[in-house]
Amino acid sequence: MCGVPYHAAEGYIARLIQKGYRVAICDQVEDPRFARKLVKREITRIVTPGTVTESALLRSRENNYLAAVAQEAGRAGIAHVDVSTGEFRVTEIDPSEAPSAIEQLARARS
């Protein structure tokens, strides 16, 4: 999508995030008075369902988890943060338990 007015962008971003999409925000990075043809634009921000922090874009009664899994020497470490509240947890488990631990986070979200 392009050409969305700044004042209307939040509504469009919220709908896309709720559907699971990632959104790249591009802004003009040069003065239109000095542009020869098109004004140069660059990506200035990327919003994903896991990293959104604006209260208007978050569902008020749901957690917004961002998780990572690392495996080494027959063990797995899982860390997750609720971006909306700041709650952070980390644990070490057997690698075979990692998929179910992530699934539990997904269920806790809804």
Side-chain angles (χ1 to χ4, degrees), residues 11-63:
Y12 287 105
I13 293 169
R15 280 191 262 170
L16 291 167
I17 293 300
Q18 288 174 357
K19 291 183 180 205
Y21 290 103
R22 296 174 296 257
V23 179
I25 310 292
C26 299
D27 290 314
Q28 293 179 350
V29 293
E30 73 176 332
D31 191 327
R33 294 176 291 172
F34 304 114
R36 292 185 186 242
K37 290 186 180 181
L38 293 176
V39 178
K40 186 176 179 181
R41 291 173 172 80
E42 292 181 0
I43 295 175
T44 56
R45 183 172 166 223
I46 297 176
V47 182
T48 68
T51 60
V52 68
T53 57
E54 293 86 348
S55 58
L57 300 178
L58 291 169
R59 293 182 179 153
S60 62
R61 303 207 185 272
E62 287 185 11
N63 296 94

Side-chain angles (χ1 to χ4, degrees), residues 59-98:
R59 293 182 179 153
S60 62
R61 303 207 185 272
E62 287 185 11
N63 296 94
N64 194 38
Y65 291 118
L66 181 61
V69 178
Q71 291 186 5
E72 186 174 319
R75 296 299 288 164
I78 297 181
H80 72 273
V81 63
D82 182 345
V83 179
S84 58
T85 66
E87 175 188 358
F88 176 77
R89 295 188 182 195
V90 64
T91 190
E92 184 178 337
I93 60 175
D94 187 86
S96 65
E97 297 173 12

